[in-house]
Amino acid sequence: MDRFRMIFQYFQSNSESVMNGICGLLALASVKMYTSFDFSCPCLPQYNMAYGLGIMFVPPIILFLCGLILNRQSLVMLEEWRRPPGRRKKDLAVIRYMCSSIMQRAMVAPVVWIIVTLLDGKCLICAFSGSMDPQKFVGFANVSTVQAQQLLAKVPCKDEELMRNTTSRKAVTRYLRCWSQALGWSILLILIIAAFLARWLRPCFNQATLLQARHWSNYIDIEQKIFEESCCEHSRLFAHKCILHFFESMRQEIKLHSFSLPREGEGHEEGEDLLQGITDQDQVNKLLKMWYYEKPPLDVSQAHQRHPLVRERSPLPWADNTSTRSKSPQHTSV
């Protein structure tokens, strides 16, 4: 159990590993979906191409959208792109880096689907069997053009009586499967060469810009997570204080039922410290609005400066008493 807990904590803290794992699962799911899919070509001239190309390209679009939806960084990137500048300027290089990484991960499963369908060849045979030239094949040379188109459209169907065990059907199938597999292997080779060049030519370019973009993209993701966790913690404490105030107002009724309540003032100061002074619904709403419109600048040296929301709050109740006491000896001495 400890080992699984450590693995879960690692994936929970490392968003890139989680996204890579999701991409791998989507790729495996695409292969499993295709192998378990019952491919049935309609074998009709007006529907073959639509069915074959639809099976080849519609599921990749669905997988691509699923990759974007499951990737948490896509929402973070959109929020960073659409947010008002406020006191923190937006870096387009970071947004481009996040967009490229999101697109690369989302394209894994669709590319795997397309390559698998091309290597299998059924989709291409169904889509383009009716577009073949009948003069290139012996069995279709002595029939009319309309009959030839109908016979070519029935090439993907092995159970058709007119095309069963005919050499012409086998020739068209081998021809289209050859082109389909050649196209699939070519796409795979191009992708591998592109990945190889991108991997080995990266050190030849400016690494400082890449490191900066990667660092601040991770920072934006981590900052959003910490802010959400802080909001959840504040909401829990806020709800706890509201419930305590509710029970405090019903103290007499609760005493009749023999419930034990904490003494007045117990844990009050600790709760106020944990709430960071944000103890009102309007203050919470204003805080969230200022986080969206005026994010703090990326300069921790300014952390000691008071936030505008803090400056608008009323002074502490004991501040006047302290100042009055400090001034009183002066009046007595006079």
Side-chain angles (χ1 to χ4, degrees), residues 261-274:
L261 289 173
R263 296 190 303 272
E264 295 184 3
E266 183 178 355
H268 179 73
E269 296 180 357
E270 182 181 359
E272 291 291 336
D273 293 338
L274 293 175

Side-chain angles (χ1 to χ4, degrees), residues 70-85:
L70 295 176
N71 196 337
R72 182 182 178 275
Q73 288 187 345
S74 59
L75 181 60
V76 176
M77 186 268 295
L78 289 176
E79 290 178 354
E80 181 66 18
W81 178 45
R82 294 295 301 170
R83 72 170 177 85

